[in-house]
Amino acid sequence: MNSVTSEPLASVQAAPPAAGSLMSTQVQTVKRFCTALKALGTRFLLSDQVQKRLDEFLATEPTLDEKTRRAVRKLFRGCSEILLEGDAAYAVLRPDVGQKHIVRVHPAADTLEAVDRGQYLQIKDAYIQGHEEAAKSGLVIDFAPFFRDYPKIREPREMGEGISFLNRHLSAQLYQNPEVFRRALLEFLRYRKLEGSSILLNERVSSLRGLTAGIEAARSLLEDYEAGAPYDAIAHDLQAHGFEPGWGCTAADVGDSLTLLSQVLESSDPARFERLLARLPLTHKIVMVSPHGWFAQDGVLGKPDTGGQVTYVLDQARALERQMRAQLLASGILAKPKVVVLTRLIPHAEGTTCNVPREKIFGTEDSWIIRAPFRDARGEIINEWLSRFQIWPFLEQFAEESQQLVVRELLGRPDLLIGHYTDGNLVAHRLAEILGVTHCACVHALEKTKYLLSDMYWSDMEHDYRFSLQFTADLIAYNSADFILSSSYREVGGTATEMGMLEAYEMFSMPGLYRVETGLMPRLARHNIVPPGASEEYFFPYTEEPRRVDAVRRALSERFLGREPTGDCVGHLVDPDLPVIFAMARLDKIKNLAGLVEIYGRSEALRARANLLLVTAVVDAAQSVDQEEIDQVNRINELRQERNLDGHFRWCAARLDKVETGEVYRIVADRRGVFAQPAFMETFGLTVIEAMACGLPVVVTCYGGPSEIVVPGRSGATQDPNDHAAFAQSLQAVLEDAALWARYSLGGVERVRESFTWGRHAERVLRMANVYTYWNHVDVMNRQALDRYLHTLYHTVYRPRTQSMLAGG
């Protein structure tokens, strides 16, 4: 295949340390293991299969010494896949988080041979296409050269702490070449404007010497003022020395800021530099982009493609507006912050406000949802909702039309663009190019990790899922972003044995389309873990009785837990006073609600001890047009009959607002119930922190963000949802042990208050926006070359495939 990069990845990789240090007897054991795999008749094995087969193999080798066993287990720990080709076996090893090494194991070789990525991907394609097709030239994608000089994190535990790493890197630059750093900082400060007016520095400061002298003079004159003197009282004198608004709202605050600036110019302390940038009022207009699904403030949760992301975006918008207002006031600037959420306008809105072009966000002073339509090839507005798998052809026109809406709404360009999901980040990428704005990408979820072998067999699933467009958009959107936000470490680095969500995009192939030798790189200092929060207004402990509304409690109790079903609920309850196992999610396969029904149905102990309550968008397949949702409804109904759950199971179709959602958690807590989150993979888990904030104990999946939210034994339990017996046992333990229930309830509330608040989230996002805006200014990487590469990928792969999709391809 031909690469569109001028500098491909090195063709030869060093063997991983674990492989290179193997003794002869250990190499022989590895060879015997691969021979045993070949005898099974399966040529391609994924990580869980590799570990299972390895355990089985070692059990048949009783004479092996313990040292050899440890060495072989260490070698294959985290191995993501093994491909058997001819006499050889190719293993993708993971010696550490965020690292990949490919080795070839051949029965005639004395060592494990290192294999480069390009060679392995061709062999992997041949497994799907045959050797003749796989040998043909095609497109190779490699982003590594464009990030060669970008700071990279070596320590796995620091992955996701990009801002801290960058600040240390910047401080090292200051130490090595202080004059260059100081000049760059001066130029950055001189060109800051807010609503067309200069802030921070004016034209009187034109050199480093002038800046140093100005700081000294300003600090001297501030000694003549009371500490609490307002900025207006000192503004004229400060301007005479070159300082505009933005340094503080009182004489003491301005003095502190100028002292900090002086210290940064003199020393290389990364903490000081970060504090300085964090104090500066660089952001007061933000655009957030979230096109897919049904985006509105009421009546949409649970509709197809619509769930926690709507809650996340709206809560983030409110928190950012509050934080910007506080920051502007503290800096002495009288300006109103504004947040705009850009989403899709759906004329046939099905009773929602998705057909309203402009809608104020509840609980804000000046933040708005603005909506632009999707248009077909003739420019006609598309009236109906579209699945997230079908929206790709419409995003380019949506971005162009939205650019005008955004500028008109803000009366200028924003200071920061925040994209949500791949589609939102692809649009944000286009807007950032046009407007020249810092782009923050919020990941949330990536489809590749949800669907097994979706890259290898993409063409078989293309009609339903459009993975060729999804994965191409992933590569463009996230590589173009200035910084990337994830909610949990597992999104970035995974675990010692499992790849993170971003890491899964580092190397893959889509046979017949392209091979990705380096896609998304989790060790770049662009990745930051910033978890969201639970709104304290709606999600508060069940014990805070004065804050609860009795009418809401009674209505929801009768609706969801009354003896007989009402409205859009099914299933009567023989004993409605039993504790409740509660789950609430979209009916996606990945959410595994059907799995929870099966876990409950198989456990006589759980059925005797508690009722099961599910809240989803629909309970009738005839009410849905989403095939995955239809499949899950049918499966749950099958399980209801197979397991004879009538009398123990209540299933309700509901789209709850936040007041109702919070009260449902508290009602379940009143009954000493438990919240279950059994997803096969969950990016973060907003419902988990909501339940915990309400004092409801939780039992959650061990896959993804929930396992980082919950501190096992203190604030809940984590379990493998594939192990039905273990998951059931964890639920049963909480229901039967009153002391354990109380510990999880109190521990959950404390955990949320410690780590998951929107105020902390917003403060960190704005701090990062300032730091990465500075990085844009100093141009740490060859941005122009990267943008050209992204354009090439967009115009040679993405756009033609969207046009083919519209033509029925």
Side-chain angles (χ1 to χ4, degrees):
M1 289 196 170
N2 296 324
S3 174
V4 294
T5 66
S6 58
E7 299 181 57
L9 196 70
S11 60
V12 178
Q13 298 182 17
S21 61
L22 289 179
M23 298 168 56
S24 175
T25 55
Q26 295 164 352
V27 171
Q28 292 302 316
T29 302
V30 170
K31 289 162 64 174
R32 286 202 308 276
F33 171 54
C34 292
T35 301
L37 291 179
K38 186 175 181 181
L40 295 172
T42 302
R43 290 183 56 198
F44 187 77
L45 298 92
L46 292 174
S47 57
D48 58 339
Q49 297 168 306
V50 172
Q51 298 308 315
K52 179 181 178 181
R53 298 306 181 190
L54 180 60
D55 289 341
E56 293 172 350
F57 168 75
L58 292 176
T60 66
E61 298 278 325
T63 60
L64 279 182
D65 62 272
E66 191 58 33
K67 182 176 181 181
T68 297
R69 290 177 182 273
R70 286 198 303 269
V72 174
R73 286 193 182 279
K74 181 177 180 181
L75 180 72
F76 288 104
R77 184 186 63 193
C79 173
S80 60
E81 59 194 51
I82 291 179
L83 174 62
L84 304 174
E85 172 65 19
D87 292 332
Y90 295 83
V92 179
L93 303 178
R94 190 170 177 260
D96 208 342
V97 172
Q99 292 183 355
K100 283 188 179 68
H101 291 281
I102 307 160
V103 297
R104 180 175 181 263
V105 183
H106 194 278
D110 295 328
T111 60
L112 306 187
E113 175 189 357
V115 177
D116 70 40
R117 294 183 176 190
Q119 180 185 355
Y120 174 69
L121 290 175
Q122 181 172 335
I123 293 168
K124 191 174 177 181
D125 281 359
Y127 169 68
I128 303 296
Q129 298 176 290
H131 288 281
E132 185 176 346
E133 283 297 316
K136 292 180 180 178
S137 295
L139 179 64
V140 173
I141 296 171
D142 184 5
F143 281 94
F146 304 100
F147 294 95
R148 178 174 289 117
D149 297 325
Y150 200 94
K152 299 174 184 66
I153 295 172
R154 296 185 180 276
E155 288 293 328
R157 65 177 180 273
E158 293 186 338
M159 291 170 62
E161 299 179 9
I163 187 172
S164 299
F165 192 86
L166 274 182
N167 287 330
R168 296 200 301 271
H169 185 84
L170 283 169
S171 297
Q173 283 187 330
L174 185 152
Y175 180 79
Q176 294 168 5
N177 200 336
E179 285 304 306
V180 171
F181 174 86
R182 290 166 185 157
R183 284 197 298 271
L185 180 57
L186 171 62
E187 291 303 303
F188 178 75
L189 296 174
R190 286 186 66 203
Y191 289 101
R192 298 302 102 193
K193 291 185 179 295
L194 192 150
E195 296 183 344
S197 300
S198 293
I199 58 173
L200 302 178
L201 297 179
N202 59 38
E203 68 280 356
R204 289 183 173 85
V205 178
S206 58
S207 67
L208 285 172
R209 180 176 297 178
L211 177 59
T212 302
I215 293 173
E216 185 177 343
R219 290 170 66 188
S220 177
L221 76 88
L222 288 171
E223 293 176 358
D224 296 333
Y225 291 89
E226 294 289 335
Y231 178 78
D232 288 347
I234 58 177
H236 180 75
D237 289 340
L238 287 173
Q239 286 175 331
H241 294 287
F243 295 97
E244 294 292 331
W247 298 103
C249 63
T250 66
D253 291 337
V254 173
D256 289 343
S257 294
L258 295 183
T259 297
L260 188 56
L261 174 60
S262 178
Q263 291 171 340
V264 166
L265 292 171
E266 293 173 0
S267 70
S268 57
D269 182 355
R272 285 176 177 166
F273 183 74
E274 183 174 342
R275 286 202 306 273
L276 174 66
L277 288 180
R279 291 174 75 111
L280 303 182
L282 305 182
T283 305
H284 86 297
K285 291 181 179 179
I286 296 176
V287 171
M288 303 165 68
V289 190
S290 183
H292 82 256
W294 298 80
F295 196 99
Q297 299 182 81
D298 290 312
V300 296
L301 295 183
K303 292 176 78 69
D305 292 346
T306 309
Q309 86 273 14
V310 173
T311 299
Y312 180 109
V313 173
L314 290 171
D315 283 344
Q316 187 185 56
R318 295 184 185 98
L320 286 170
E321 189 199 67
R322 287 194 296 268
Q323 186 65 29
M324 285 192 294
R325 184 182 304 112
Q327 192 170 45
L328 288 168
L329 287 173
S331 66
I333 290 179
L334 298 177
K336 289 179 62 178
K338 186 166 187 173
V339 178
V340 166
V341 176
L342 171 64
T343 189
R344 183 198 166 195
L345 182 130
I346 307 174
H348 293 177
E350 299 184 7
T352 73
T353 58
C354 292
N355 59 348
V356 177
R358 189 172 184 267
E359 178 183 356
K360 189 175 181 184
I361 297 175
F362 303 148
T364 68
E365 292 187 10
D366 192 22
S367 293
W368 301 80
I369 301 169
I370 61 172
R371 298 182 174 95
F374 285 172
R375 297 182 184 274
D376 62 21
R378 300 185 304 274
E380 300 293 328
I381 291 176
I382 297 173
N383 291 315
E384 307 295 340
W385 165 85
L386 292 174
S387 160
R388 70 185 187 277
F389 299 115
Q390 305 301 322
I391 65 175
W392 304 109
F394 311 105
L395 294 180
E396 183 171 352
Q397 177 62 33
F398 176 81
E400 292 177 5
E401 190 166 336
S402 298
Q403 183 257 331
Q404 300 172 15
L405 288 176
V406 165
V407 172
R408 185 163 63 245
E409 179 68 34
L410 295 177
L411 301 177
R413 69 174 192 168
D415 304 304
L416 176 66
L417 280 160
I418 302 177
H420 292 275
Y421 286 87
T422 303
D423 49 289
N425 280 301
L426 190 68
V427 173
H429 156 65
R430 303 282 294 179
L431 293 175
E433 281 190 311
I434 296 168
L435 300 173
V437 177
T438 300
H439 172 197
C440 163
C442 287
V443 177
H444 296 294
L446 293 173
E447 300 292 342
K448 185 173 178 292
T449 55
K450 292 183 180 181
Y451 297 89
L452 194 64
L453 304 179
S454 53
D455 50 356
M456 293 173 65
Y457 296 101
W458 69 274
S459 59
D460 297 337
M461 299 181 260
E462 184 70 358
H463 181 268
D464 292 328
Y465 295 105
R466 304 293 174 178
F467 287 138
S468 68
L469 288 161
Q470 172 75 54
F471 298 166
T472 305
D474 287 330
L475 294 173
I476 294 170
Y478 295 111
N479 276 301
S480 70
D482 297 296
F483 65 106
I484 299 173
L485 292 189
S486 295
S487 297
S488 65
Y489 184 86
R490 288 201 174 191
E491 293 179 33
V492 183
T495 68
T497 58
E498 299 171 5
M499 285 195 297
M501 188 168 63
L502 288 160
E503 189 181 353
Y505 281 75
E506 186 183 9
M507 181 190 75
F508 65 96
S509 181
M510 304 181 75
L513 184 63
Y514 53 61
R515 295 171 189 158
V516 180
E517 292 193 0
T518 312
L520 304 182
M521 290 169 275
R523 286 182 176 262
L524 294 179
R526 304 160 67 228
H527 299 286
N528 295 274
I529 298 169
V530 186
S535 173
E536 296 178 3
E537 180 179 356
Y538 304 103
F539 304 106
F540 54 86
Y542 75 100
T543 54
E544 296 185 12
E545 286 289 343
R547 298 180 64 183
R548 301 176 67 176
V549 180
D550 284 338
V552 176
R553 173 165 35 189
R554 289 194 301 271
L556 291 172
S557 296
E558 181 60 31
R559 178 183 179 186
F560 292 148
L561 295 172
R563 185 176 299 274
E564 298 300 329
T566 59
D568 290 333
C569 295
V570 297
H572 82 278
L573 300 177
V574 172
D575 186 353
D577 296 325
L578 284 176
V580 179
I581 299 169
F582 173 47
M584 178 170 57
R586 298 191 310 276
L587 281 169
D588 293 345
K589 184 177 180 180
I590 200 78
K591 298 293 186 181
N592 193 34
L593 290 185
L596 178 63
V597 176
E598 187 166 3
I599 289 169
Y600 177 77
R602 286 177 178 271
S603 173
E604 292 184 9
L606 286 180
R607 293 171 64 172
R609 188 71 179 81
N611 293 320
L612 175 63
L613 169 64
L614 294 189
V615 175
T616 62
V618 296
V619 297
D620 183 353
Q623 298 173 336
S624 177
V625 296
D626 183 275
Q627 189 57 51
E628 192 166 316
E629 188 173 59
I630 291 169
D631 292 342
Q632 292 300 298
V633 170
N634 290 335
R635 177 58 181 154
I636 292 174
N637 279 319
E638 288 174 4
L639 289 166
R640 287 177 61 204
Q641 296 178 7
E642 288 176 8
R643 297 294 168 182
N644 191 25
L645 297 183
D646 191 38
H648 308 279
F649 176 35
R650 174 64 50 78
W651 183 15
C652 296
R655 296 187 176 99
L656 305 176
D657 60 29
K658 288 187 177 181
V659 171
E660 294 170 322
T661 301
E663 192 56 32
V664 171
Y665 292 128
R666 288 187 285 272
I667 289 170
V668 176
D670 289 336
R671 295 166 179 252
R672 293 301 185 265
V674 58
F675 181 76
Q677 212 285 18
F680 292 127
M681 170 56 69
E682 181 63 57
T683 306
F684 178 67
L686 272 175
T687 54
V688 176
I689 61 172
E690 290 172 354
M692 290 166 61
C694 294
L696 177 60
V698 299
V699 175
V700 302
T701 178
C702 65
Y703 299 116
S707 65
E708 294 176 42
I709 296 171
V710 173
V711 180
R714 175 191 157 195
S715 59
T718 61
Q719 276 294 352
D720 184 347
N722 298 294
D723 188 338
H724 287 191
F727 206 95
Q729 181 58 43
S730 289
L731 292 170
Q732 185 179 342
V734 178
L735 292 167
E736 293 181 348
D737 187 335
L740 182 65
W741 192 98
R743 183 164 76 246
Y744 286 177
S745 175
L746 181 60
V749 172
E750 292 174 346
R751 173 71 170 151
V752 171
R753 287 175 176 171
E754 288 169 1
S755 303
F756 303 104
T757 68
W758 279 111
R760 183 181 292 109
H761 174 97
E763 187 276 329
R764 292 186 65 190
V765 170
L766 292 179
R767 180 183 296 246
M768 289 172 188
N770 286 5
V771 171
Y772 286 95
T773 296
Y774 178 80
W775 270 94
N776 273 345
H777 173 76
V778 299
D779 194 18
V780 69
M781 62 183 176
N782 188 351
R783 184 76 208 195
Q784 186 176 22
L786 173 63
D787 287 341
R788 287 175 180 170
Y789 191 78
L790 293 168
H791 289 168
T792 301
L793 188 56
Y794 186 93
H795 290 285
T796 60
V797 180
Y798 180 84
R799 179 183 275 174
R801 294 199 69 82
T802 63
Q803 294 171 343
S804 174
M805 180 178 168
L806 287 175

